[in-house]
Amino acid sequence: MAEIKKIGVFTSGGDAPGMNAAIRAVVRTALYHNLEVAGIRRGYEGMIAGDFMEMDRKSVANIIQRGGTMLKTARSDQFRTPEGRKVAYDKLKAEGIDALVAIGGDGTFTGARVFGAEYDMPIVGMPGTIDNDLQGTDFTIGYDTAINTVIDAVDKIRDTAESHDRLFIVEVMGRDSGLIALRTGIAAGAEAIIIPETKTDIEALCARLEHSRRDKSSKIVMVAESGEAGSAFEVGRQIKERFPHYDTRISILGHIQRGGRPSCMDRVLASRMGVAAVEALLNNHRDEMIGIIHNEIAYTQFDHAIKHHQEINPNFLKIVEILSL
Amino acid sequence: MAEIKKIGVFTSGGDAPGMNAAIRAVVRTALYHNLEVAGIRRGYEGMIAGDFMEMDRKSVANIIQRGGTMLKTARSDQFRTPEGRKVAYDKLKAEGIDALVAIGGDGTFTGARVFGAEYDMPIVGMPGTIDNDLQGTDFTIGYDTAINTVIDAVDKIRDTAESHDRLFIVEVMGRDSGLIALRTGIAAGAEAIIIPETKTDIEALCARLEHSRRDKSSKIVMVAESGEAGSAFEVGRQIKERFPHYDTRISILGHIQRGGRPSCMDRVLASRMGVAAVEALLNNHRDEMIGIIHNEIAYTQFDHAIKHHQEINPNFLKIVEILSL
Amino acid sequence: MAEIKKIGVFTSGGDAPGMNAAIRAVVRTALYHNLEVAGIRRGYEGMIAGDFMEMDRKSVANIIQRGGTMLKTARSDQFRTPEGRKVAYDKLKAEGIDALVAIGGDGTFTGARVFGAEYDMPIVGMPGTIDNDLQGTDFTIGYDTAINTVIDAVDKIRDTAESHDRLFIVEVMGRDSGLIALRTGIAAGAEAIIIPETKTDIEALCARLEHSRRDKSSKIVMVAESGEAGSAFEVGRQIKERFPHYDTRISILGHIQRGGRPSCMDRVLASRMGVAAVEALLNNHRDEMIGIIHNEIAYTQFDHAIKHHQEINPNFLKIVEILSL
Amino acid sequence: MAEIKKIGVFTSGGDAPGMNAAIRAVVRTALYHNLEVAGIRRGYEGMIAGDFMEMDRKSVANIIQRGGTMLKTARSDQFRTPEGRKVAYDKLKAEGIDALVAIGGDGTFTGARVFGAEYDMPIVGMPGTIDNDLQGTDFTIGYDTAINTVIDAVDKIRDTAESHDRLFIVEVMGRDSGLIALRTGIAAGAEAIIIPETKTDIEALCARLEHSRRDKSSKIVMVAESGEAGSAFEVGRQIKERFPHYDTRISILGHIQRGGRPSCMDRVLASRMGVAAVEALLNNHRDEMIGIIHNEIAYTQFDHAIKHHQEINPNFLKIVEILSL
């Protein structure tokens, strides 16, 4: 196995708060171990285009607190083709890059897995996505910030809901996953949570809302964007049908959930994982995602990380039922 | 003119941050002048229902920092009828209330004007609305908080827009008024602002966006909810038609704009106006809205306050053009 | 063992964000299990004074997002005496309270342990302190919010430090514990962290600062309030002595660290623990603190919880060294 | 009068949020008018050192939302000497800079006034300081952000004060000016405000505090850093002397007041003033500070701007008295 002398780092897929902290940690750890580092702009697309930038300590100064990703991110159709990957490999070699740190979600690691199987290019991954939907880590970089952004928004909506005795149906992100909806639903004191992992009984939900109506002036229903009961608009339509007398409003939180200064936990997570990613490469790990499980660094094959989504803790649903009583 | 012994205070129309600070100021100023104060819940609706609560110093402790309105707010169809207003008057008299402070927007003052003309009930108003669309005051209570909420959200969206080289079309509130869109557009560094007060030339807008495309990776277009060019979705459709290669996204900020802890300026504004409102009643003002113009308390007849919306400062449009270059 | 019919809940010691979420969870879970609940104001002091309030679902509506504790908190010298505890017990029995949930830190549980040994009064505890210094739980309620408050403040200070090329020495809370300083130091990108758990070599620190001076315009040193190197002022004095040419400033963050809206994680933590606390009482647990270890509910004897503080993860110190390079 | 072809822009004195928005506005407006622009780093110090950077549209992209100043700021002893100013002038001419926009406070404008009198170098100023202590503008850039930062902090402190029934003495910035303390005192619901502009009667203050003690569990006293009654520690000492039974705490907010993302109003203010500053230079204004008075651009001679501080509105003090009742 050839010695690693120069690492390339890139972000790919949807951006997430803490990606900059992750880049900073990778760059500084590489320099600490006397490696060179190149930043690859716009993920796999930039790899194919040879869009590289040399990184030194100053390149990553004063970015730990910034949302988004300084290396930008993009989708790449070309990288899905063998020809695209060939070009990418040639560009990396021409640049002298002999190992990669990929920061992103399951699409990112799917690409990395294929690339790593085809070419002699050690790759490790760092989980950067607000969705928290990867196996092999308790938390992904960006999730903690996103759920804080959601409750900031819902706290504001609650002010209005309380003032007008309204029912709000709030839709949050989650790509077929209720993990954002579930924690934010508990934290926002939602009356109900609709997630794709469980069957939603709209009749039972309406009965619950009606029951609590005597005591509660405002109500929040939290909906994951791909909930099987349909989008927030569809849920709203069904509730309005049954309760035309409710003052019901819909709020789609949308893209604000991806941005913003990362939380303390996301910065620490990204820093720990970034150090571990570079050291993993030096210790001959490859095709693995770095995670933190029970507060210890964990290594999970890309294959495994992307196949198994995190499961919903059934106790959480019970907690919603008890506390929204 | 009978001496005032007991004041009623209420909030009406859409809620706005700072309404609680306004209620607090009215209550404490009334007590300072040895008046009694009743809180009227849910605006005109609660007036008709006799939904009153005695207010003392403690009733308004620890609320200056809270969004929404502790007295709640509602629309009232009944109050639009002479019969409804008769019931309201009788309920007020039965409670011993002999003057009113109404906190709200043009709907609130329209009701107050009619009521004040029909019955011997001194009323003064305080402008509480995020829209800033009342004549007779430089700023309404809630506007400053709302525009800060908007730029917090757009700063987050900018993170994502920068990371993905995207164009975002962001829709903000404003009820036929571009006042929120205009200031937040400047503050968020928007490339263009679409407001109902001016004709929007979509062709020119697209030419501008295309022109700046070489230098700018992300772009924000700020749209007032009732812009004559149509909603954000309609604007988005037209831009996508011309530039199918743009990665264009829509974000409707929605109800988060009404909530949240009031800004320092909104709290100070509400406090000053609340003191002035009670003292205006004691000095025999009636049917007037309290405002602050050029840092001095001003009094404007309800009639005038609701008829003339604030005008758009043409210099602001020029500033957008220069700075988004 | 007598059946539990009425639970008393109280907060004690320093306040922490999320205590209200904890109270809410205890109250609603008790009601869910058809128990009565009394709130005890001002901790042990209020217990002795018989300062109780009946709690129903509405008592805890709309408090999940609020900092501080609605039940207030206080120190009690009287409760340290057998006579004081006797009065407290009599007052509880007179009120019909037959079990307690105590929310607080090591002082709180020390009192609970003694009280539980003397009287037939089942008690379980919930860890509510920003310091995270209790054995038996990965995180205490309030810690996550506090560390986010710290980095919000340090991000602001960094703006000024960058603009002026200054060195800032920032003191954070921690009661003989570096747990706040350590995570926030990593997250704020601090150049150095001074904590009581490790010996600080001021000479080595100064050498480090001088070394990084060529590349970094601003520098942050994070100091735990009881760091063995002395307070921030003492550290500042020593640095100034060696580097009179540095523009060195001190900032003591102080009490802002205890307040504020709880973070999403703190609200979820408080909610989960509150449900578990009541159910623990019903399942005959007593004299135990509820914790969450590796995402599962854990039960730790008070004796054990208060004796062993959390240890510093040595990897974290290494991370600071690498990343602040 | 020679035609202006290249403008230099710099920030000087204490940094203030919105300085970056100001720099952006100056740069883009200059480019809009086909002028060249150089950024001068570290104020007068960098002018003497010839520390210049060419500015284009991209140089100021994505900075409108950032605290601090990208051009940095510094004090300069050298510029106080004729020799220093001679070097500065020579360096500016060598760079081809033929006019200046100075962003800062009274120290900045004092320097600009002297320099403008000695050399043929048109200068206009923009008020960038959190202190709001300049004549010739209703608000300075940074003031609105700073007062919001203060109330964020005091809202957190209030949580703790309420939970413990404490009296907090909070010291805010203000350089011999009570303007920050006054508005934030009203907005934070402070029981008393101590400012240098008025004589403080500690006896009367204590009587007030004692009087309100029956109804209020927490109390905040807001102190301007240079209040004639002494610092927060001195005020605290005097209050503790009289009321040893109070649980009294001191909080010095310190440098967090200078940093942070600028508020919407500060960004709009900086943008308007920046456009006006460049256009003023083109219209042959010199030795004037740009201000906004009653929502219109105003021009004030440096001499006048720095001599007369803003006066305290006596109504504000009355409002504190009424509302903290």
Side-chain angles (χ1 to χ4, degrees), chain B residues 24 27-33 57, chain D residues 190-191 208 211-212 215-216 319-325:
Chain B
R24 171 181 178 270
V27 169
R28 294 217 169 147
T29 307
L31 297 174
Y32 180 86
H33 289 292
R57 285 153 60 182
Chain D
E191 272 65 34
R208 252 173 94 76
H211 174 74
S212 74
D215 297 300
K216 291 194 166 187
I319 287 168
V320 175
E321 191 192 324
I322 293 173
L323 299 187
S324 67
L325 186 71

Coordinates of all heavy atoms in Angstrom, one line a residue, chain B residues 24 27-33 57, chain D residues 190-191 208 211-212 215-216 319-325:
Chain B
R24 N -48.3 45.9 28.8 CA -47.6 46.2 30.0 C -47.5 47.7 30.2 O -47.8 48.2 31.4 CB -46.2 45.6 30.0 CG -45.3 46.0 31.1 CD -43.9 45.3 30.9 NE -43.0 45.7 31.9 CZ -42.1 46.7 31.8 NH1 -42.1 47.5 30.8 NH2 -41.2 46.9 32.8
V27 N -51.0 49.2 31.1 CA -51.4 48.8 32.4 C -50.7 49.6 33.5 O -51.3 50.2 34.4 CB -51.3 47.3 32.7 CG1 -51.5 46.9 34.1 CG2 -52.3 46.5 31.8
R28 N -49.4 49.6 33.4 CA -48.6 50.3 34.4 C -48.8 51.8 34.4 O -48.8 52.4 35.5 CB -47.1 49.9 34.3 CG -46.9 48.4 34.5 CD -45.7 48.1 35.3 NE -45.6 46.7 35.7 CZ -44.6 45.9 35.8 NH1 -43.4 46.4 35.5 NH2 -44.6 44.7 36.2
T29 N -48.9 52.4 33.2 CA -49.2 53.8 33.2 C -50.5 54.1 33.8 O -50.7 55.1 34.5 CB -49.1 54.3 31.8 OG1 -47.9 53.9 31.2 CG2 -49.2 55.8 31.7
A30 N -51.5 53.3 33.5 CA -52.8 53.6 34.1 C -52.8 53.5 35.6 O -53.3 54.4 36.3 CB -53.8 52.6 33.6
L31 N -52.1 52.5 36.1 CA -52.0 52.3 37.6 C -51.2 53.5 38.2 O -51.5 54.0 39.3 CB -51.3 51.0 37.9 CG -52.0 49.7 37.5 CD1 -51.1 48.5 37.8 CD2 -53.3 49.6 38.2
Y32 N -50.2 53.9 37.5 CA -49.4 55.1 37.9 C -50.3 56.3 38.1 O -50.1 57.1 39.0 CB -48.3 55.4 36.9 CG -47.4 56.5 37.2 CD1 -46.2 56.3 38.0 CD2 -47.6 57.8 36.6 CE1 -45.4 57.4 38.2 CE2 -46.7 58.8 36.9 CZ -45.6 58.6 37.7 OH -44.8 59.7 37.9
H33 N -51.3 56.4 37.2 CA -52.2 57.6 37.3 C -53.4 57.2 38.1 O -54.5 57.9 37.9 CB -52.6 58.0 35.9 CG -51.4 58.7 35.2 ND1 -50.9 59.9 35.5 CD2 -50.7 58.3 34.1 CE1 -49.9 60.3 34.7 NE2 -49.7 59.3 33.9
R57 N -50.1 45.2 38.6 CA -48.7 45.3 38.2 C -48.2 43.9 37.9 O -47.4 43.7 37.0 CB -47.9 45.9 39.3 CG -48.1 47.4 39.3 CD -47.8 48.0 40.7 NE -46.5 47.7 41.1 CZ -46.0 48.1 42.3 NH1 -46.8 48.7 43.1 NH2 -44.8 47.8 42.6
Chain D
A190 N -36.0 47.1 33.2 CA -35.2 47.3 34.4 C -35.9 48.1 35.5 O -36.7 49.0 35.1 CB -33.9 48.0 34.0
E191 N -35.6 47.9 36.7 CA -36.2 48.6 37.8 C -35.5 50.0 37.9 O -36.2 50.9 38.4 CB -36.0 47.8 39.1 CG -37.2 46.9 39.4 CD -37.2 45.8 38.3 OE1 -36.2 45.3 37.9 OE2 -38.3 45.3 38.0
R208 N -36.6 52.9 46.3 CA -37.5 52.3 45.2 C -37.4 50.8 45.1 O -38.4 50.1 45.0 CB -36.9 52.8 43.8 CG -37.6 53.8 43.1 CD -36.8 54.3 41.9 NE -37.2 53.5 40.7 CZ -38.3 53.7 40.1 NH1 -39.2 54.7 40.4 NH2 -38.6 53.0 39.0
H211 N -39.3 49.4 47.9 CA -40.7 49.6 47.8 C -41.3 48.5 46.8 O -42.4 48.0 47.1 CB -41.0 51.0 47.2 CG -42.4 51.2 46.8 ND1 -43.4 51.4 47.7 CD2 -43.1 51.2 45.6 CE1 -44.6 51.6 47.1 NE2 -44.4 51.4 45.8
S212 N -40.6 48.2 45.7 CA -41.1 47.3 44.8 C -40.9 45.8 45.2 O -41.3 44.9 44.5 CB -40.5 47.5 43.4 OG -39.2 47.1 43.4
D215 N -43.8 43.2 45.5 CA -44.5 42.7 44.3 C -43.6 42.0 43.3 O -44.1 41.3 42.4 CB -45.2 43.8 43.6 CG -46.2 44.5 44.4 OD1 -47.1 43.8 44.9 OD2 -46.1 45.7 44.7
K216 N -42.3 42.2 43.4 CA -41.4 41.8 42.3 C -40.4 40.8 42.9 O -39.7 41.2 43.8 CB -40.7 42.9 41.7 CG -41.7 43.8 40.9 CD -40.9 44.7 40.0 CE -41.8 45.3 39.0 NZ -41.0 46.1 38.0
I319 N -40.3 57.4 31.6 CA -40.9 56.1 31.2 C -40.4 55.0 32.1 O -41.1 54.1 32.5 CB -40.6 55.8 29.7 CG1 -41.4 56.7 28.8 CG2 -40.8 54.3 29.4 CD1 -41.0 56.8 27.4
V320 N -39.0 55.0 32.4 CA -38.5 54.0 33.3 C -39.2 54.0 34.6 O -39.6 53.0 35.2 CB -37.0 54.2 33.5 CG1 -36.4 53.2 34.5 CG2 -36.3 54.0 32.2
E321 N -39.4 55.2 35.1 CA -40.0 55.4 36.4 C -41.4 54.9 36.4 O -41.8 54.2 37.4 CB -40.0 56.9 36.8 CG -40.3 57.2 38.2 CD -40.6 58.6 38.5 OE1 -40.0 59.5 37.9 OE2 -41.5 58.9 39.3
I322 N -42.2 55.2 35.4 CA -43.6 54.7 35.3 C -43.7 53.2 35.2 O -44.4 52.6 35.9 CB -44.3 55.4 34.2 CG1 -44.4 56.9 34.4 CG2 -45.7 54.8 33.9 CD1 -45.0 57.7 33.2
L323 N -42.9 52.7 34.3 CA -43.1 51.3 33.9 C -42.4 50.3 34.9 O -42.8 49.1 34.9 CB -42.6 51.0 32.5 CG -43.3 51.8 31.4 CD1 -42.8 51.4 30.0 CD2 -44.8 51.7 31.5
S324 N -41.5 50.8 35.6 CA -40.8 49.8 36.6 C -41.5 49.9 37.9 O -41.1 49.3 38.9 CB -39.3 50.2 36.7 OG -39.2 51.5 37.4
L325 N -42.5 50.7 38.0 CA -43.3 50.9 39.2 C -43.4 49.7 40.1 O -43.8 48.7 39.7 CB -44.8 51.2 38.7 CG -45.8 51.7 39.7 CD1 -45.4 53.1 40.2 CD2 -47.2 51.7 39.1

